[in-house]
Amino acid sequence: MADYRTIKAEPLTNAIRAIVKAGGSSDREAELVSTNLVEANLRGHDSHGVGMIPRYVQSVTNGGLAVNQHVKIVLDTGPLLTLDGLTGYGQVIGHEAMELAAERAKRNGVCLVGLSNSHHIGRIGHWAEQCIDHGLVSIHFVNVISRPIVAPWGGSDARHGTNPFCVGIPRRGKDPIVLDFATSRIAQGKTRVAHNKGVELEPGTIIDNEGKPTVNPRYTVIPPHGAILPFGEHKGSGLALVCEILGGALSGGQVVKGPSDGKYNVLNGMLSIVIDPGKLGTGENLAREVESFVAWHTGSPPAPGVAKVKIAGDPERETKKKRLAEGIPVDPNTWQEILEAGKKFGLDQAAIEKIVG
């Protein structure tokens, strides 16, 4: 990693905040966007981190991302909430949507919220963690309106996005369970990271523009495009289908209907079910039974080469601890793209470099 630069979380956040603010965003918006992106890097999900800024800048420039938007309430019956993101920054829209949902879940016991038309909503685990902070369980189905990048099981070209699925479960006094994954073999952003690093992907991850297996990540980044394969064969593909329909259609938004319009905009739809275990009358039972099962689950003797059996969320917490101490590695191509993005908003390279030190 000799070519990488390692940047501490705080100065990196300051640099990203400055770029977003230079694009016309309010202080609050710039704060939510920058902290969200850096948090993704801290947790090891560089695909959803600061490397997204060049795409955001491009979307602001071409009108696909509207600055300083707030979530619009389309319908509110208490337990049912339908929201429109108005193509605003997903970091703002997602935050506001989950705060509304949490308030209603605590009042009514549950809130089912359909969110449509949000610009890239980022790492979905972030929204589960926000619900966890309120003591709530949450389930999220997400679709992606952009250039199709994932092939259906048995298909030979891209037909939908990476369509994440996520569940968050709080634990009393202990680290929560946060299951968060793309229904593709890997996230699209991870192929971008691999392309920028100049490294190959694992065999069986993607296909080229002719539907043939390849390990070259360029087929998901630059034309002619191929596709990422679904995880878990027909099972992952089936879950992606469900995420598309629930996250895209039931939420009140759109589903993928054909090829991209050629722009780099990314819109997300998300259907979230937010539950207050106390109001359900099962809070004590949940707290007790979660610990019983986690102890049983993690008590399995580790397989050869494995240090310990983990729960969903452990790898991210371990990575965050390490990166808070050592800094966040940023490859030179990604850093150059960030500098160029800042320039489009009127921030010169020297100004950004001065911020990160």
Side-chain angles (χ1 to χ4, degrees):
M1 292 177 52
D3 291 331
Y4 282 62
R5 63 184 303 164
T6 302
I7 307 172
K8 289 283 190 175
E10 186 176 353
L12 184 58
T13 303
N14 292 341
I16 299 304
R17 184 192 297 115
I19 294 172
V20 175
K21 193 172 177 183
S25 290
S26 67
D27 288 345
R28 176 181 179 271
E29 180 160 278
E31 176 70 16
L32 285 172
V33 174
S34 58
T35 54
N36 176 288
L37 293 178
V38 173
E39 182 68 17
N41 287 110
L42 284 172
R43 292 184 179 266
H45 294 287
D46 296 330
S47 55
H48 291 68
V50 297
M52 290 302 303
I53 276 294
R55 278 75 189 167
Y56 291 178
V57 170
Q58 192 168 22
S59 291
V60 170
T61 304
N62 68 26
L65 167 53
V67 302
N68 298 321
Q69 295 299 310
H70 298 282
V71 72
K72 176 185 176 184
I73 297 176
V74 177
L75 177 142
D76 182 3
T77 70
L80 298 171
L81 195 57
T82 306
L83 306 172
D84 188 331
L86 304 175
T87 71
Y89 270 108
Q91 288 77 10
V92 174
I93 300 303
H95 176 81
E96 293 179 351
M98 290 302 100
E99 285 301 296
L100 290 169
E103 191 278 328
R104 283 149 182 77
K106 286 189 278 191
R107 188 199 315 159
N108 301 297
V110 65
C111 183
L112 191 151
V113 55
L115 171 65
S116 64
N117 255 348
S118 172
H119 197 266
H120 183 247
I121 208 165
R123 184 178 68 92
I124 309 306
H126 193 92
W127 313 123
E129 289 157 3
Q130 187 176 337
C131 293
I132 285 167
D133 288 343
H134 287 283
L136 305 172
V137 171
S138 64
I139 306 165
H140 310 263
F141 302 88
V142 185
N143 88 319
V144 187
I145 300 296
S146 186
R147 173 173 61 83
I149 189 61
V150 182
W153 174 244
S156 61
D157 69 354
R159 293 285 156 155
H160 57 78
T162 52
N163 292 12
F165 172 74
C166 179
V167 178
I169 304 172
R171 295 168 67 200
R172 290 182 184 172
K174 296 187 179 180
D175 291 326
I177 296 166
V178 182
L179 177 71
D180 176 22
F181 57 79
T183 49
S184 51
R185 285 290 300 268
I186 58 174
Q188 181 179 358
K190 284 182 168 58
T191 68
R192 184 194 73 245
V193 171
H195 179 67
N196 283 347
K197 288 180 180 177
V199 299
E200 294 183 340
L201 298 170
E202 290 290 326
T205 302
I206 65 171
I207 52 177
D208 66 16
N209 59 307
E210 295 179 346
K212 297 175 182 176
T214 181
V215 294
N216 189 343
R218 54 93 55 220
Y219 286 102
T220 62
V221 181
I222 55 176
H225 293 116
I228 308 172
L229 295 171
F231 93 93
E233 302 177 341
H234 59 287
K235 296 179 182 180
S237 192
L239 184 55
L241 175 73
V242 167
C243 286
E244 186 70 35
I245 294 167
L246 297 184
L250 187 58
S251 70
Q254 314 167 57
V255 296
V256 176
K257 301 181 182 74
S260 165
D261 60 8
K263 296 181 179 179
Y264 283 87
N265 303 330
V266 180
L267 292 178
N268 286 129
M270 180 167 72
L271 185 81
S272 301
I273 305 165
V274 184
I275 304 163
D276 184 338
K279 280 284 201 296
L280 188 61
T282 62
E284 293 301 324
N285 189 71
L286 174 68
R288 182 180 63 252
E289 295 298 316
V290 162
E291 297 316 315
S292 295
F293 185 71
V294 167
W296 173 248
H297 176 88
T298 56
S300 177
V306 177
K308 65 175 182 176
V309 176
K310 301 178 182 181
I311 62 168
D314 280 346
E316 287 83 357
R317 287 185 282 268
E318 291 167 4
T319 302
K320 181 175 180 177
K321 183 178 179 181
K322 186 173 188 289
R323 289 188 170 186
L324 276 174
E326 300 176 3
I328 295 166
V330 183
D331 70 84
N333 287 338
T334 296
W335 184 245
Q336 188 58 42
E337 287 180 357
I338 291 170
L339 293 176
E340 289 169 5
K343 192 174 181 181
K344 289 179 183 176
F345 279 171
L347 278 180
D348 63 26
Q349 179 171 332
I352 299 171
E353 291 284 6
K354 186 178 179 180
I355 293 171
V356 297

